[in-house]
Amino acid sequence: DIQMTQSPSTLSASVGDRVTITCRASQSISSYLAWYQQKPGKAPKLLISKASSLESGVPSRFSGSGSGTEFTLTISSLQPDDFATYYCQQYYSYSTFGPGTKVDIK
Amino acid sequence: QVQLQESGPGLVKPSQTLSLTCTVSGGSISSGNYYFSWVRQPAGKGLEWIGRIYTSGTPNYSPSLRSRVSMSVDTSKNQFSLKLSSVTAADTAVYYCGLGLGYWGQGILVTVSS
């Protein structure tokens, strides 16, 4: 099984901050990595696929990078709508989600 | 606009089989080689991948649930289904169905309790 970790588990930030979340895989997953945003009571929303490909309609302040075992999601300037939990997901071999990173208000 | 909707019992007794169906609207699932996923989320916890099934009917299941899970596709009804056997309270969660990476249902809460 491929295990996914995320850091930090919680991140306190202010509007306008640059935020970076790290996701690591237990073995190489090439670029088969997706990032999701989830708000309470809602389904996850796909932000990025293939590690760095921004989904249509997702604001350009979101970006993804990385390959192999280490990946990052960056929000260049945090907006009020961005306070949520973020998950990474590998889909290289079956699929696994990371444990999530909650971004809350500082 | 593709939409997915989960349906099924909201309450299942311990040791019984949980059965859910996902209905896809806004497009035919037989028109391409897609995969359909099930993911669950216990209250206050993270997302857990249960498995996926392709339009062809080929399934992939999470190793931790493989012995209890089965999935199927009915292209004539534009539906796919999940069965999880021998459920316990630990299977209580919101269950989401998905199409590819980007389309998800709203989720359905399934509680396992006598």
Side-chain angles (χ1 to χ4, degrees), chain A residues 2-11 21-26 33-38 44 69 71 84-90 95-103, chain B residues 39-49:
Chain A
I2 297 177
Q3 308 301 318
M4 306 300 291
T5 60
Q6 285 182 238
S7 60
S9 55
T10 306
L11 190 159
I21 298 168
T22 298
C23 175
R24 289 185 175 89
S26 60
L33 192 283
W35 288 99
Y36 294 88
Q37 176 192 69
Q38 189 182 35
T69 61
F71 303 85
T85 301
Y86 294 84
Y87 295 93
C88 61
Q89 179 200 24
Q90 70 81 15
S95 187
T96 321
F97 286 94
T101 295
K102 184 177 181 180
V103 177
Chain B
V39 169
R40 69 181 183 179
Q41 186 171 38
K45 296 191 177 181
L47 299 167
E48 179 183 15
W49 186 77

Side-chain angles (χ1 to χ4, degrees), chain A residues 14-105:
Chain A
S14 302
V15 172
D17 284 353
R18 181 182 181 87
V19 165
T20 299
I21 298 168
T22 298
C23 175
R24 289 185 175 89
S26 60
Q27 64 186 74
S28 177
I29 58 170
S30 185
S31 295
Y32 293 97
L33 192 283
W35 288 99
Y36 294 88
Q37 176 192 69
Q38 189 182 35
K39 295 182 178 179
K42 299 294 187 180
K45 174 187 175 183
L46 179 66
L47 301 175
I48 288 168
S49 62
K50 236 13 188 0
S52 60
S53 181
L54 196 68
E55 291 299 301
S56 175
V58 174
S60 59
R61 62 181 179 272
F62 291 92
S63 64
S65 65
S67 66
T69 61
E70 188 157 334
F71 303 85
T72 59
L73 172 70
T74 299
I75 309 172
S76 60
S77 178
L78 197 67
Q79 297 303 300
D81 191 48
D82 301 338
F83 292 100
T85 301
Y86 294 84
Y87 295 93
C88 61
Q89 179 200 24
Q90 70 81 15
Y91 53 102
Y92 175 78
S93 174
Y94 295 178
S95 187
T96 321
F97 286 94
T101 295
K102 184 177 181 180
V103 177
D104 62 19
I105 300 173

Side-chain angles (χ1 to χ4, degrees), chain B residues 71-105:
Chain B
M71 297 180 184
S72 60
V73 177
D74 188 337
T75 54
S76 67
K77 294 182 178 178
N78 241 33
Q79 294 177 336
F80 58 101
S81 298
L82 166 71
K83 290 187 186 299
L84 182 65
S85 64
S86 304
V87 296
T88 69
D91 296 308
T92 294
V94 174
Y95 286 74
Y96 294 100
C97 64
L99 166 58
L101 295 175
Y103 296 99
W104 295 93

